[in-house]
Every structure is written in structure tokens, then in C-alpha cells.
Amino acid sequence: MTTVLVFLDHAGASLAKSERELLSLGASLGEVTVALAGDADQAYLDGVGSYGVQQVYRPDSAAVSEVLVAGKAAFLAEAVRTTGAGIVLLGNSYEAKEIAARLGVRLGAGVITDVVALAADLTATKSDFAGSYTVDCRVTTDVAILTVKPNSFDAIEAGGPSSPHEVRLPVDLPAAVARVTGRVDKPVSGRPELAEARVIVAGGRGVNGDFTPLEALADALGGAVGASRAATDAGWIEHSAQIGQTGKTVSPQLYISVGISGAIQQKAGMQTSKVIVAINKDADSPVFEIADFGIVGDLFTVLPQATEEIRKRGL
């Protein structure tokens, strides 16, 4: 049976939805082991074990978490060699994709990023060239390294809590590495993480600096708030909310585009969404070309009505 190594860059007290999706996908491909970059409490480890994971590999030095991607790539390479894994699964953040690239160089292995579907023969489906094409591709090396977009695969129901066996691996860190000198906690909004959200309400230049109606709709739907580069560059919302070619790529079940023209740079970050709803005053806006549903109207009239109706129906 193929050994599947799932890389988890632990940052929370319990498994995130995207982590559960990776573990579920791994279980469908073979026998899952986990490479865990940071420290974790017992509840988190029990959650990992509930997906049938019997072995968790961790670095023997805390220094791995104090450096940027080079240290994590070195640790993950050692974990692949130790386990003999034929498939490596990672998340799809910018950091995860850089780790995957460095790992591919270390192992001489093929890398596919932005995976949204995967066939039994490991043929992966992804968007390419800023979302202009949807392509199928497959790694032909002995080890396949895949970064997977959140919300692309179902997270199966976990079993009962189970504590996996921990194995510490020595890591030979590169001499020259970039190190973390400080961290600042991001303010808690109560909304889901943008990359993991099943519903995203995103605003662009058309919101004219006022995200209030978008936040109200997102809260009514239990979703996250995103933005185009024009909105973040204008200082209307933090840059961590940016979606697009130079921002985050997302793949929610529902993406509501508000006051965004839909230029190719924006499409690259969201067009794999399952359902796209576009709201724009300009009937000729490019976003309507990829939208499943379109509303031509003033967002400050449309959104409050939609929010009121959703709350009334208890959706």
C-alpha cells in the first residue's frame, strides 16, 4: 500500500477544516502518516489519530519553527526518506507551496500546486496561467508532491480519539536561513479563515471604502470577507483579505463578488469556486462572464435586502 505523508503546519488547538480534508484525501490514497512541524497538545494529536494515523513525525529541534520555509522543507524531506512515502500532501498557502517547491528540489520529485481534483491514477486538475486554463497533469517521478486547495475535497467523519505514536527526526538546518524575529497575533474577527471558508463575500473598488454591508451579509451566511487588490491597496481592508493572482486563491462553495470588475488577476484567485454570484452596476463587467448568477444593481441596495431575507429565513 502506498504511504501518504500529510504535512501539517500546526497553528491551532484543534484540527482545522483544511487539515481534516487533507487527512481524508490521504486516507483515500493509501496509508496516512503525518509530518507535524510544530508542537501540539494532546487533544490535537488525538484528533490526528482519529483519522487512522498511527505515526506522527516531528522535528527533534524547536529551531525548525523559528526559521522560515527552509527548515520545514528540510524536516519534510527527512520525513519522506524515513517513511518511504510515495505521495506528499500539503495545504495551498504561499508558504506551503514554497515548502513543496524546496522539497521537490531536495528529492528530485515532481510538484503540482493548486490541486482541486485528483483521479485514482494521481492525475490532478488545477487552474493555470492566471486561471485562463483548467489543466490535467500528473507527476511521473517516484514521489508526487501535491498542494491542495481547501474546500476541494470532503472531510470524512473522524473516528474516536486515538493517540498516534510520535517519532522525532533529526533535522540538518541550512547554515543560511531566514529566521522569525517576532510574531503579532491577528485580531480575532469571529469569521472563518478566508482560505477555508465555505462562503466568501468579496468587495472591490465599487464598495467605495464601505465594507459594512458585505460584513453583514457574510455574518448572516457564516462566511468570510475578502477583497480585490484595488480595495486593499486603497486601505479599505487589510491586505490579508486580498484574493487574486497576487493574493490568496480560494475555492469556496459560494463566492459573492460585490463591486469587482472581474479582471483576469481577480479571476485567478476565485474561479474554482463552486457557485459564483456577481453584483455590479455595470452590466458589461467581465465578472458576469464567469458568474453562475448575476445581479445588475447598486450593492448598497441589493446587499441589505439579501441580508434581511437570509436572516428572516434563518438560513
Side-chain angles (χ1 to χ4, degrees):
M1 179 179 287
T2 302
T3 298
V4 182
L5 184 64
V6 176
F7 177 69
L8 302 179
D9 194 359
H10 175 62
S14 59
L15 284 169
K17 179 174 177 291
S18 59
E19 293 175 321
R20 291 187 280 112
E21 291 169 0
L22 284 178
L23 291 170
S24 300
L25 174 60
S28 71
L29 300 173
E31 183 177 353
V32 180
T33 58
V34 163
L36 183 60
D39 290 331
D41 58 27
Q42 191 58 50
Y44 184 91
L45 294 173
D46 287 347
V48 171
S50 71
Y51 280 85
V53 177
Q54 297 182 359
Q55 297 265 26
V56 170
Y57 292 85
R58 297 169 69 179
D60 65 353
S61 171
V64 168
S65 62
E66 296 171 0
V67 301
L68 297 184
V69 292
K72 293 174 182 178
F75 159 61
L76 191 51
E78 188 61 35
V80 172
R81 297 187 188 103
T82 301
T83 61
I87 304 170
V88 183
L89 301 179
L90 304 91
N92 203 60
S93 66
Y94 281 121
E95 182 175 290
K97 287 192 275 191
E98 185 174 347
I99 293 171
R102 288 173 178 264
L103 179 64
V105 171
R106 284 175 172 269
L107 301 178
V111 179
I112 302 176
T113 60
D114 304 306
V115 174
V116 296
L118 194 63
D121 66 350
L122 297 187
T123 296
T125 301
K126 59 170 290 184
S127 295
D128 220 338
F129 294 105
S132 299
Y133 298 93
T134 298
V135 299
D136 291 334
C137 46
R138 187 162 64 89
V139 170
T140 57
T141 54
D142 291 338
V143 178
I145 303 170
L146 311 172
T147 74
V148 181
K149 278 190 175 185
N151 296 313
S152 299
F153 298 89
D154 292 330
I156 61 173
E157 193 71 25
S162 176
S163 182
H165 176 65
E166 292 186 52
V167 179
R168 295 282 183 169
L169 294 179
V171 181
D172 184 18
L173 293 176
V177 293
R179 296 186 177 274
V180 177
T181 59
R183 291 184 171 90
V184 176
D185 290 336
K186 182 180 177 181
V188 178
S189 68
R191 301 187 183 101
E193 283 294 321
L194 193 61
E196 296 187 2
R198 293 176 63 85
V199 177
I200 294 175
V201 183
R205 187 177 283 108
V207 307
N208 199 26
D210 185 2
F211 272 79
T212 304
L214 286 76
E215 292 169 345
L217 178 58
D219 290 342
L221 292 169
V225 177
S228 68
R229 179 171 180 174
T232 60
D233 283 352
W236 299 338
I237 191 170
E238 67 272 8
H239 281 280
S240 61
Q242 183 180 330
I243 297 169
Q245 190 173 9
T246 55
K248 294 179 179 177
T249 57
V250 297
S251 188
Q253 297 294 316
L254 173 62
Y255 185 92
I256 303 176
S257 171
V258 182
I260 301 176
S261 67
I264 185 107
Q265 292 86 353
Q266 169 70 194
K267 289 164 61 178
M270 46 67 76
Q271 70 175 10
T272 55
S273 305
K274 305 303 182 292
V275 177
I276 299 172
V277 176
I279 303 169
N280 202 298
K281 289 194 295 186
D282 181 6
D284 296 322
S285 180
V287 71
F288 289 119
E289 297 176 6
I290 61 169
D292 298 288
F293 302 95
I295 300 172
V296 179
D298 186 338
L299 69 92
F300 294 102
T301 300
V302 174
L303 292 191
Q305 293 179 7
T307 302
E308 182 182 358
E309 190 64 27
I310 288 166
R311 286 175 175 164
K312 185 187 302 181
R313 294 171 179 261
L315 297 176

